[in-house]
Amino acid sequence: MEKLDGKSLDLTKENINALKQLFPEVVTEGKIDFDKLKLVLGEEIETNKERYEFTWHGKAQSLKLAQIPSTGTLRPDKESSKNWDITENLYIEGDNLEVLKLLQKSYFGKVKMIYIDPPYNTGQDFVYKDDFHDNLKNYKEITNQTTKANSETNGRYHTDWLNLMFPRIKLARNLLTDDGVIFISIDDNEVANLRKICDEIFGENNFIVHICHKARGSVSNDKIISLNHNHILLYAKNHYKIFNNRKLIGLDPDLVGFVNEDNDPRGPYKLSPVDGPGGERKGNPFYEFLGVKGYFRYSKETMKKMYKEGLVIKRGNSLLKKYYLEDAKHSRKTDTSWWDSVGYTSTATSRLKNLMDQNVFDSPKPVELIVKMLKLFTNFDKESIVLDFFSGSATTANAVMEFNAEDNGKRKFIMVQLPELTDEKSEAYKAGYKNICEIGKERIRRAGDKIVEETGKTDLDIGFKVFKLDSSNIKLWDPETANLEQNLFDLQDNIKEGRTKEDLLFEILLKIGVPLTTPIEEVNVNGKVIYNVGFGSVLLCLEDEIELDTVHALIKLKPEDFDTKVIFKETGFLNDSVKTNAIQTLKKNGITDVRSV
């Protein structure tokens, strides 16, 4: 019976296996022969000591940190969740570096779109340092003290920020589908450095665009030039996958809202004005037609012809042109890199204040901004997964729910947020929100209810399952412990005190690569609970004193059309004889993948 190692995906091992698949001739006694690899790659090897590269203090350690598997877990918190039994959305509290590691097996290559709004490193925001030796311990220390800003007087001001971002973006790339994308908001402080690390992680050829988002409408008089925009970098996992199929990026126009009020034989249409502001500046002709004066896009002769053909109609005191559905189907609408009509930060702040009844979060991103991203890249994939691992006030979750309501989609979100403490002087703290996670969860609850109330759509998924980062539920034998005898005695039951069977269940699912929202059925057999996960793909019994009747019940739950994994606690059997008989009985009935924790 194979024993689970309790670690997240070993990325170094995965990379070596991929290299072995590509170049089997470079493997000697199970190791990579780099001299042979250089020969295979030929002229593509860089041999000059002076070369173009971007580096900083701690970069090598930062890369290594991303590759070290996590021994932590995510513990379920049903009490602060919403619609636990039916939702497919996730809200995860914890250090996003460890969480991204824990998600590697279950969500590798499954996320269609990532959006993050990380710390901008302005001197006031929080940029914490990872602990190379024990990041879980480091995380607990961080969450139990007031967070500290990365001030500009810090000698390694940019270095600390780069060491924060590099391993996280590297791990995030693994989670993207082949046609997946990542949007990253940033300002002038680190945009140049962010571009360089993303070029390295994704490859320069997978850079799509540098978007300028007009974030404010007012002018700042305390600046030489008023800074009114933020930056958004957009990268693809595989550039060619997107641009070989325009449907993947939603470049086809919106085909919703076409009507045919006058039974036009040319089919459904939309109406758009043939005049508009700025006509004089653009050189459009000014005249009166059908009692309407204005600067029009067409000459008077052309307008008469279009009106005669029924392409232009008059509504009230406006002239409108018909835009037909059939034409829309064959047209292509390309967006630009200047986004100036998707909401200001001040407007987003006031809307969040109205939703939450007080000002609980500074400078949230506009919901409209993220909906625009979703429309571009998940328009034709209505069941895609969207990830935000710097989720803040959970604007991304709000946007996913709003877009689902708009087009009847079933997109799922995964929010990840460090439970940073709120300032005791802040309105958020006074309102009872002791950390940012409490704000984010309440925002999702209220936003979901509001969307259902306004749309009347009761079939929307407005729930979320909450999980919290913690150390493993399983004790590890430490031979250097001061009381070795006591440690060995404790390992007779290798599950930590205070941890539940559900805690252990979800840790196992993470470590074997099962998504956290997979359907789980509890089957009771003579007082023993069997977890039937994914309609029989995994069967778990984490009880004590298991006898053969439980084993026979497991066999009955085995699906006929695919294999199943069976998992027990290492110490869960009544005795060694039952354990041996159980393994043999399972094998006789076609269950060969039997594991223990």
Side-chain angles (χ1 to χ4, degrees):
M1 184 161 56
E2 180 186 348
K3 190 166 184 178
L4 296 173
D5 63 7
K7 294 181 180 179
S8 62
L9 187 65
D10 188 332
L11 294 173
T12 302
K13 186 178 179 180
E14 292 296 310
N15 290 336
I16 292 172
N17 288 336
L19 198 59
K20 288 178 180 179
Q21 290 291 323
L22 286 172
F23 309 113
E25 65 271 32
V26 307
V27 181
T28 302
E29 296 182 338
K31 303 289 185 180
I32 302 296
D33 186 327
F34 280 93
D35 290 330
K36 281 187 180 179
L37 182 60
K38 287 179 183 178
L39 290 172
V40 169
L41 297 176
E43 295 180 358
E44 299 301 318
I45 295 293
E46 176 61 77
T47 57
N48 293 324
K49 290 185 178 180
E50 293 183 348
R51 66 191 71 170
Y52 177 79
E53 62 179 331
F54 179 54
T55 190
W56 63 89
H57 179 78
K59 182 180 180 181
Q61 190 179 49
S62 179
L63 175 60
K64 191 173 180 180
L65 185 62
Q67 296 172 325
I68 296 174
S70 175
T71 58
T73 189
L74 300 177
R75 298 178 65 189
D77 178 8
K78 289 187 176 181
E79 187 176 339
S80 63
S81 301
K82 180 177 181 179
N83 301 340
W84 175 275
D85 291 329
I86 59 173
T87 186
E88 294 188 74
N89 300 317
L90 294 175
Y91 189 97
I92 303 173
E93 298 185 27
D95 167 15
N96 51 19
L97 178 67
E98 292 301 303
V99 172
L100 287 168
K101 290 180 181 182
L102 290 169
L103 296 179
Q104 293 292 310
K105 282 186 180 179
S106 298
Y107 293 91
F108 194 97
K110 294 181 180 178
V111 175
K112 183 63 175 286
M113 188 186 108
I114 297 173
Y115 170 73
I116 56 171
D117 186 21
Y120 288 0
N121 210 18
T122 59
Q124 288 81 43
D125 49 5
F126 174 51
V127 178
Y128 64 89
K129 297 180 182 178
D130 297 309
D131 189 315
F132 187 73
H133 299 290
D134 191 346
N135 217 48
L136 283 167
K137 180 181 177 183
N138 185 50
Y139 159 67
K140 291 199 170 188
E141 290 176 355
I142 289 169
T143 53
N144 286 325
Q145 62 186 21
T146 303
T147 57
K148 296 180 181 179
N150 186 35
S151 72
E152 294 182 41
T153 57
N154 176 10
R156 288 180 174 165
Y157 175 63
H158 293 291
T159 293
D160 287 347
W161 187 86
L162 286 164
N163 284 327
L164 171 82
M165 296 302 299
F166 187 75
R168 288 162 174 81
I169 296 176
K170 188 163 184 63
L171 286 166
R173 182 187 178 276
N174 297 334
L175 301 179
L176 286 173
T177 58
D178 282 345
D179 58 359
V181 296
I182 183 170
F183 290 88
I184 308 176
S185 287
I186 202 69
D187 74 357
D188 284 349
N189 286 284
E190 297 291 356
V191 64
N193 287 332
L194 179 63
R195 175 77 184 265
K196 288 173 184 174
I197 61 175
C198 285
D199 280 349
E200 180 171 332
I201 292 169
F202 288 91
E204 292 181 31
N205 60 313
N206 287 316
F207 168 71
I208 296 180
V209 71
H210 181 151
I211 298 165
C212 289
H213 167 228
K214 187 176 180 181
R216 60 182 292 175
S218 59
V219 176
S220 176
N221 292 319
D222 62 339
K223 304 287 185 182
I224 296 174
I225 295 178
S226 178
L227 186 65
N228 282 34
H229 73 278
N230 285 326
H231 310 274
I232 302 172
L233 298 187
L234 173 58
Y235 281 80
K237 189 172 186 180
N238 289 300
H239 184 275
Y240 73 93
K241 282 276 188 181
I242 293 175
F243 285 92
N244 282 352
N245 184 351
R246 69 177 185 171
K247 276 194 172 184
L248 293 177
I249 51 172
L251 288 180
D252 288 314
D254 185 359
L255 302 182
V256 177
F258 286 82
V259 297
N260 194 348
E261 297 175 347
D262 53 359
N263 296 317
D264 191 320
R266 288 162 290 202
Y269 55 83
K270 282 184 178 179
L271 296 174
S272 60
V274 291
D275 62 344
E280 181 179 14
R281 185 180 70 250
K282 295 176 181 177
N284 291 346
F286 181 87
Y287 57 86
E288 180 179 347
F289 184 68
L290 299 178
V292 179
K293 293 181 180 180
Y295 291 93
F296 297 103
R297 301 176 190 175
Y298 312 102
S299 68
K300 195 168 186 177
E301 291 72 25
T302 301
M303 189 79 83
K304 287 179 180 179
K305 183 175 182 294
M306 294 171 69
Y307 179 74
K308 186 176 181 180
E309 293 174 351
L311 298 176
V312 169
I313 62 175
K314 184 180 180 182
R315 289 283 176 83
N317 198 37
S318 299
L319 296 174
L320 303 167
K321 181 181 180 294
K322 291 181 178 180
Y323 176 55
Y324 289 96
L325 175 62
E326 196 59 33
D327 295 330
K329 288 179 179 178
H330 301 290
S331 68
R332 175 185 172 103
K333 185 175 77 174
T334 302
D335 216 315
T336 72
S337 60
W338 173 241
W339 291 8
D340 63 347
S341 57
V342 283
Y344 295 144
T345 300
S346 59
T347 305
T349 301
S350 62
R351 286 181 179 175
L352 181 59
K353 181 179 180 180
N354 291 336
L355 179 68
M356 304 292 286
D357 299 324
Q358 57 260 316
N359 186 22
V360 295
F361 196 88
D362 293 330
S363 304
K365 284 292 180 286
V367 172
E368 303 95 322
L369 174 67
I370 302 173
V371 168
K372 182 180 179 75
M373 298 172 185
L374 293 167
K375 286 184 175 180
L376 278 171
F377 288 95
T378 72
N379 202 24
F380 295 94
D381 190 355
K382 295 187 177 184
E383 296 192 4
S384 52
I385 298 174
V386 179
L387 168 66
D388 184 344
F389 55 91
F390 283 100
S391 72
S393 67
T395 302
T396 301
N398 195 337
V400 169
M401 293 188 295
E402 284 203 9
F403 190 33
N404 281 342
E406 181 179 327
D407 75 345
N408 297 315
K410 296 186 181 298
R411 298 167 192 85
K412 302 102 177 170
F413 62 74
I414 302 176
M415 300 293 103
V416 183
Q417 176 61 42
L418 185 81
E420 297 176 39
L421 302 179
T422 52
D423 191 315
E424 292 184 7
K425 298 178 182 178
S426 67
E427 287 187 45
Y429 186 89
K430 293 173 184 176
Y433 301 107
K434 299 301 184 286
N435 62 58
I436 293 178
C437 291
E438 293 178 6
I439 296 171
K441 289 182 291 187
E442 183 61 19
R443 193 248 180 98
I444 300 172
R445 293 187 194 103
R446 295 190 182 201
D449 290 340
K450 184 180 180 183
I451 291 167
V452 170
E453 180 183 348
E454 291 178 347
T455 64
K457 296 182 177 181
T458 57
D459 58 342
L460 295 172
D461 185 353
I462 58 170
F464 53 93
K465 295 183 186 227
V466 177
F467 288 86
K468 295 184 177 181
L469 178 66
D470 209 330
S471 59
S472 173
N473 299 291
I474 303 166
K475 297 174 186 174
L476 296 176
W477 175 48
D478 182 1
E480 296 184 10
T481 185
N483 190 341
L484 182 58
E485 183 179 347
Q486 182 62 39
N487 187 254
L488 289 171
F489 177 78
D490 289 343
L491 283 172
Q492 291 181 33
D493 182 1
N494 62 345
I495 308 304
K496 290 180 181 175
E497 186 177 351
R499 304 297 176 95
T500 67
K501 292 185 181 70
E502 281 200 334
D503 288 337
L504 184 57
L505 167 66
F506 284 104
E507 176 167 6
I508 293 168
L509 297 184
L510 272 176
K511 302 298 170 63
I512 65 173
V514 177
L516 292 170
T517 56
T518 302
I520 300 172
E521 178 190 6
E522 291 187 18
V523 180
N524 195 299
V525 180
N526 296 329
K528 308 290 185 187
V529 173
I530 296 173
Y531 294 106
N532 182 348
V533 180
F535 308 105
S537 60
V538 185
L539 299 170
L540 306 94
C541 186
L542 306 175
E543 301 281 2
D544 296 317
E545 299 186 347
I546 294 172
E547 299 192 58
L548 288 178
D549 61 337
T550 305
V551 176
H552 291 300
L554 280 164
I555 293 168
K556 290 179 181 178
L557 294 171
K558 177 186 178 298
E560 294 182 3
D561 48 351
F562 56 89
D563 292 333
T564 188
K565 292 183 180 69
V566 171
I567 299 174
F568 301 100
K569 278 201 317 182
E570 179 74 15
T571 59
F573 291 94
L574 183 64
N575 53 52
D576 288 342
S577 175
V578 172
K579 181 178 180 179
T580 303
N581 287 334
I583 295 170
Q584 294 304 316
T585 302
L586 290 169
K587 284 183 178 178
K588 287 178 183 178
N589 286 273
I591 300 175
T592 57
D593 192 348
V594 184
R595 310 185 188 190
S596 67
V597 291

